Amino acid sequence: MPELAEVEFFRKRWHQAAVGQTVTDVSIHERARVFVNQRAALAVRKALPGRTLLGSEAAAKQMCFRFSDDLWLGVHLGMSGELRVEPAGYVPQKHDHMVLHTAGHALVFTDPRMFGGVELHCGPEAPAWWARIAPSLLSPAFTVEAVAAFLRRRARAPIKAVLLMQERFPGIGNWMADEILWRAAIHPRQPAGSLRAAEVRVLWRECRRVCRLALATIAGRGDYLPTSLNAHIPASWLFLHRWTDGGRCPKTRRPLCRETVGGRTSCWSPARQKLHR
DNA sequence: AGACATGTTGCTCA
DNA sequence: ATGAGCAACATGTC
């Protein structure tokens, strides 16, 4: 599930429940693959109890939770990861790989498909992998020129595949890429290098707009949402129609289509997104 | 039963 | 060297 806005939602959920609180105990699933190795799992279990959660940040699809004594806990949710908050005393279930217990809550990292990852870093500075994350879509460094240069370098790849490249489009995943292309009226198979200057500008603008809208809609609420993160997505977005068989484009009312592009199932509106040249 | 899933990496080939 | 395409990872669901 997690792309940029869902990641921010999950970060907030843990943060709001536990910032300022001290970890009293850590439960780790015996075959938790989310750790690089057994040693990493042991390190978490050994290092976190007694430390206080001081703050947290999300960037792209990564999260970093900062604890006292220069400890940083990095979390990536992979394909199916989620962070939950359960009452104190929660007993970990099958897919709960790591649970941080505090006096008031249990912070649960759950991930059925186990593509997620957790890593611990100790030191005064944020870990190197954190510093290497590309500048946010909403930052001044994400310029239309930078996008244009990147598309030139990936000229022959379908634009859909290029939007999924985290080194330039941090946090964009399959649904966001489809949403952006649909709003920009660009066909997912259009070679990146064949976009006209005006199209590149629209693409850049829609990247930022979808990022902003997704954050406001999915992550922008202070309370804990009920089970479904999607309940608040407007029907005017492609998002709500992309997996529906016989789904129709909210703008043209014409049928949507679904095919694999760049190795991922993509949904677009043929009436609106046409291949050219 | 079989296809497929909102992610990433590492391999092959051009 | 660099870019494009694809299998692999593990498990649940339709």
Side-chain angles (χ1 to χ4, degrees):
Chain A
M1 157 161 302
E3 297 179 23
L4 166 146
E6 291 97 335
V7 169
E8 172 62 6
F9 169 80
F10 289 126
R11 178 200 68 82
K12 246 185 194 174
R13 187 187 246 180
W14 266 23
H15 181 104
Q16 288 176 353
V19 70
Q21 294 199 30
T22 300
V23 177
T24 54
D25 194 17
V26 175
S27 310
I28 287 175
H29 196 289
E30 55 184 38
R31 40 187 288 271
R33 265 177 162 265
V34 296
F35 297 95
V36 183
N37 51 39
Q38 199 56 31
R39 180 174 307 181
L42 285 174
V44 169
R45 188 163 13 210
K46 189 157 185 284
L48 281 184
R51 315 295 176 194
T52 302
L53 178 62
L54 299 179
S56 64
E57 283 179 88
K61 298 172 191 171
Q62 328 265 345
M63 286 171 277
C64 204
F65 294 90
R66 185 167 49 88
F67 290 86
S68 53
D69 299 307
D70 290 339
L71 279 180
W72 311 73
L73 185 72
V75 179
H76 192 288
L77 297 172
M79 194 84 114
S80 57
E82 293 187 13
L83 302 187
R84 303 199 318 275
V85 175
E86 299 286 349
Y90 174 78
V91 177
Q93 308 294 300
K94 186 175 177 189
H95 299 300
D96 300 338
H97 299 292
M98 179 182 72
V99 180
L100 309 183
H101 303 274
T102 70
H105 302 286
L107 308 181
V108 183
F109 171 71
T110 195
D111 181 11
R113 284 168 74 184
M114 302 200 277
F115 292 164
V118 173
E119 87 174 69
L120 190 70
H121 167 80
C122 186
E125 305 288 332
W129 59 263
W130 179 261
R132 279 197 297 267
I133 297 172
S136 159
L137 306 177
L138 298 180
S139 78
F142 184 76
T143 60
V144 66
E145 292 78 16
V147 170
F150 192 77
L151 299 199
R152 252 178 271 127
R153 209 143 58 80
R154 309 287 179 162
R156 304 177 58 153
I159 186 62
K160 168 66 185 276
V162 174
L163 277 181
L164 295 174
M165 295 178 180
Q166 301 297 296
E167 70 257 42
R168 178 45 68 194
F169 301 100
I172 292 184
N174 205 25
W175 82 252
M176 280 183 76
D178 282 355
E179 189 77 31
I180 289 163
L181 291 172
W182 173 70
R183 288 169 186 251
I186 295 170
H187 194 289
R189 285 193 210 282
Q190 191 69 43
S194 70
L195 293 193
R196 301 152 180 149
E199 288 178 311
V200 175
R201 174 162 287 278
V202 172
L203 183 74
W204 167 80
R205 193 186 68 205
E206 295 305 328
C207 282
R208 293 166 57 88
R209 192 198 309 274
V210 169
C211 180
R212 228 180 312 111
L213 288 173
L215 284 171
T217 309
I218 296 170
R221 42 194 57 243
D223 55 340
Y224 301 162
L225 280 179
T227 46
S228 170
L229 288 175
N230 307 341
H232 303 272
I233 307 276
S236 58
W237 295 23
L238 177 64
F239 182 92
L240 284 191
H241 310 275
R242 58 196 306 275
W243 290 124
T244 314
D245 287 331
R248 285 175 177 267
C249 167
K251 289 185 193 288
T252 65
R253 310 310 306 168
R254 306 289 305 149
L256 294 167
C257 77
R258 268 196 311 255
E259 278 173 40
T260 299
V261 180
R264 310 298 301 278
T265 300
S266 303
C267 175
W268 70 93
S269 170
R272 185 176 159 71
Q273 298 162 264
K274 297 183 189 298
L275 271 174
H276 64 73
R277 201 172 6 133

